Amino acid sequence: SSAVIAAALSCRRYVAGGQCKSTAKLEGKVVIITGANTGIGKETARELARRGKVIIACRDIVKAEAAASEIRLETGNQQVIVKKLDLANTKSIREFAEKILAEEKELHILINNAGVMLCPYSKTADGFEMHLGVNHLGHFLLTFLLLERLKQSAPARIVNVSSLAHHGGRIRFHDLHGEKSYNCGLAYCHSKLANVLFTRELARRLQGKSHRRLEFTVNALHPGSVHSELVRHSFVMSWLWKMFSFFLKTPWEGAQTTIYCAVAEELDSVSGQYFSDCQPAYVSPRGRDDETAKKLWNVSCELLHIQWD
């Protein structure tokens, strides 16, 4: 009946969540998006390619090229460029950053979007537990290497894609790489909490450096529960995702908050915040713990052999 259809539509609208209303153009601006060959990242790239130059940074070059040519065709923007980046390998991250610094005189927006979820236990090339290594440490190093270029190009923004899952996370300093005990679901939650803490601590450090209006911001976000390839490592999750796809956001809907954090004018001097559905959202008490944020920062620097003051 029509009442059922109306109820279904309003449920669907609720699931879809907030939409980015900003039409801000990014002419002459350069955006880097990690992991933009599928899902939310690809939809973010598609939308931002309507506005400016987009660099898609991915491990799988073949998939990335296919996504880029589709986006070029659809948007008419030839400035959609693919670069190889394997966040599970610090050597690859450094090579990527070197290329960017050599080729791009300016960089305005860095979107740390790539992520792994529910992987069986494994380690990155540098011996980090995979979730922490890719979702946190890889992006931590990438941001460190590109930071000066972003600062020079201000106003600039860093956008970290975290998750509601950060509520289930804790930073287990005694067992960061899950060698004593490992649960793939919890490992994902821990890494997403690390994204929130990194955002908080980086914002704090940037604020201390700038006396003018904030020209350089960093924010984190939860994209929503999205129908994407992230659950590919789990048969049960893949099955549930298919069963309940009606209650999941499409990748386009899931990309809205990322796009909002990247372009919305009202966020020009907002930093260190966490968003969901294009509005500020609740952060878990662990995600607001400044001591843990500082400690995670120092430990991350040690693990990556960098000095970031």
Side-chain angles (χ1 to χ4, degrees):
S1 76
S2 57
V4 173
I5 293 168
L9 284 174
S10 77
C11 169
R12 192 68 202 84
R13 267 198 301 276
Y14 175 77
V15 169
Q19 269 185 35
C20 177
K21 302 278 193 286
S22 168
T23 55
K25 286 273 173 272
L26 300 172
E27 279 150 31
K29 297 204 168 180
V30 181
V31 182
I32 291 177
I33 309 174
T34 66
N37 55 355
T38 64
I40 304 170
K42 183 177 170 185
E43 293 307 319
T44 304
R46 193 194 308 272
E47 179 52 43
L48 296 182
R50 300 182 202 284
R51 306 170 188 237
K53 178 175 179 174
V54 173
I55 297 168
I56 292 178
C58 288
R59 190 187 55 207
D60 188 332
I61 290 290
V62 176
K63 262 190 174 179
E65 281 296 355
S69 56
E70 181 192 314
I71 291 169
R72 280 184 218 117
L73 199 66
E74 192 182 317
T75 61
N77 180 0
Q78 294 312 302
Q79 295 227 292
V80 180
I81 294 157
V82 170
K83 291 263 180 269
K84 181 158 177 72
L85 170 66
D86 182 358
L87 286 158
N89 186 338
T90 57
K91 189 166 165 283
S92 169
I93 298 168
R94 288 180 179 280
E95 282 166 5
F96 169 83
E98 260 169 47
K99 281 203 182 88
I100 292 295
L101 296 176
E103 292 167 16
E104 301 297 335
K105 291 298 151 251
E106 291 195 305
L107 172 59
H108 305 87
I109 302 171
L110 171 61
I111 300 177
N112 291 320
N113 162 83
V116 293
M117 181 180 179
L118 306 176
C119 312
Y121 188 75
S122 56
K123 286 187 167 178
T124 68
D126 302 86
F128 309 141
E129 186 277 314
M130 192 61 74
H131 292 90
L132 189 80
V134 171
N135 299 355
H136 168 61
L137 291 167
H139 282 127
F140 188 94
L141 179 60
L142 179 66
T143 305
F144 167 75
L145 295 171
L146 297 177
L147 196 74
E148 282 311 309
R149 186 59 39 96
L150 282 155
K151 278 184 182 166
Q152 293 158 8
S153 315
R157 295 183 187 191
I158 296 169
V159 179
N160 294 325
V161 179
S162 178
S163 167
L164 186 67
H166 85 270
H167 286 275
R170 53 170 13 144
I171 307 300
R172 301 168 68 245
F173 289 109
H174 64 286
D175 188 23
L176 268 183
H177 303 296
E179 285 152 332
K180 298 191 181 107
S181 72
Y182 179 75
N183 172 301
C184 63
L186 287 175
Y188 177 71
C189 295
H190 303 331
S191 71
K192 293 287 117 180
L193 173 61
N195 294 154
V196 171
L197 291 167
F198 169 46
T199 302
R200 188 176 180 89
E201 181 63 9
L202 179 55
R204 189 187 70 79
R205 286 162 177 261
L206 290 171
Q207 217 148 4
K209 300 264 160 56
S210 158
H211 299 294
R212 337 171 256 159
R213 197 175 118 271
L214 275 178
E215 290 270 285
F216 189 44
T217 64
V218 52
N219 290 298
L221 67 105
H222 166 54
S225 300
V226 179
H227 201 269
S228 76
E229 287 182 20
L230 252 189
V231 293
R232 63 183 172 271
H233 291 293
S234 164
F235 170 76
V236 176
M237 285 293 280
S238 301
W239 180 80
L240 284 170
W241 244 228
K242 281 197 180 71
M243 287 286 294
F244 295 101
S245 61
F246 182 80
F247 299 102
L248 295 170
K249 293 187 179 199
T250 63
W252 183 85
E253 290 161 353
Q256 294 304 305
T257 307
T258 308
I259 297 161
Y260 173 76
C261 288
V263 303
E265 298 88 342
E266 63 265 34
L267 300 187
D268 273 348
S269 49
V270 173
S271 193
Q273 300 301 308
Y274 170 76
F275 293 85
S276 176
D277 281 329
C278 302
Q279 55 193 9
Y282 179 73
V283 176
S284 77
R286 286 199 186 111
R288 297 193 299 267
D289 185 331
D290 289 330
E291 285 317 300
T292 307
K294 286 190 186 84
K295 186 172 176 187
L296 178 65
W297 183 282
N298 294 333
V299 169
S300 301
C301 287
E302 276 165 38
L303 288 169
L304 294 162
H305 311 296
I306 57 176
Q307 290 233 269
W308 189 352
D309 303 319

